[in-house]
């Protein structure tokens, strides 16, 4: 179950270990032809997100640091569940473990 906390500035959130701060892409509010879509048509969150910040990584069983494989600005696919929601004003962010990221999107 995700929890919610309120932060004044997203820049004050620094992920630790293998945690990654992401922001889901907002669903389209109108079609390519200009028709506005009702908010009910975007009921499920999109699986795509942008990485805002990533922690340095987590130590392996020998204590050696394994760095995270994503960085700020990367586009990723994330599951529709899990993580911790962080709300800053009207914007919502999600703090998840790197292992929860399904894929990195390359263009």
């Amino acid at each position: 179950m995700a929890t919610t906390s309120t932060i004044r500035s997203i820049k004050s959130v620094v992920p630790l270990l293998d945690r990654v701060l992401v922001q889901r892409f907002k669903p389209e509010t109108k079609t390519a032809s200009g028709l506005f879509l009702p908010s009910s048509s975007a009921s499920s969150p999109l699986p795509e997100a942008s990485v805002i910040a990533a922690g340095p990584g987590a130590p392996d069983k020998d204590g050696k640091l394994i760095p995270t494989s994503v960085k700020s600005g990367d586009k990723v696919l994330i599951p529709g569940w899990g993580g911790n929601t962080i709300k800053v004003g009207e914007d919502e962010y999600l703090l998840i473990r790197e292992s929860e990221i399904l894929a990195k999107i390359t263009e």
Side-chain angles (χ1 to χ4, degrees):
M1 180 171 163
T3 59
T4 304
S5 66
T6 304
I7 309 289
R8 290 184 184 196
S9 170
I10 199 62
K11 291 180 182 183
S12 65
V13 178
V14 179
L16 300 177
L17 300 172
D18 63 341
R19 303 301 196 287
V20 179
L21 182 67
V22 299
Q23 184 175 31
R24 290 184 189 273
F25 292 134
K26 293 187 167 93
E28 292 293 326
T29 56
K30 68 179 182 178
T31 65
S33 61
L35 296 175
F36 285 95
L37 299 171
S39 59
S40 61
S41 70
S43 59
S44 63
L46 294 176
E48 297 94 359
S50 178
V51 174
I52 304 301
D60 64 8
K61 64 180 181 173
D62 299 321
K64 182 180 174 191
L65 184 70
I66 306 295
T68 53
S69 59
V70 295
K71 64 185 181 320
S72 179
D74 284 348
K75 293 179 183 173
V76 294
L77 291 178
I78 58 174
W81 47 265
N84 291 65
T85 302
I86 299 172
K87 191 162 182 151
V88 179
E90 294 299 313
D91 294 327
E92 279 193 7
Y93 300 86
L94 194 62
L95 191 60
I96 61 174
R97 290 185 180 272
E98 182 187 29
S99 61
E100 293 176 16
I101 295 174
L102 303 173
K104 190 172 169 178
I105 302 170
T106 60
E107 296 185 39

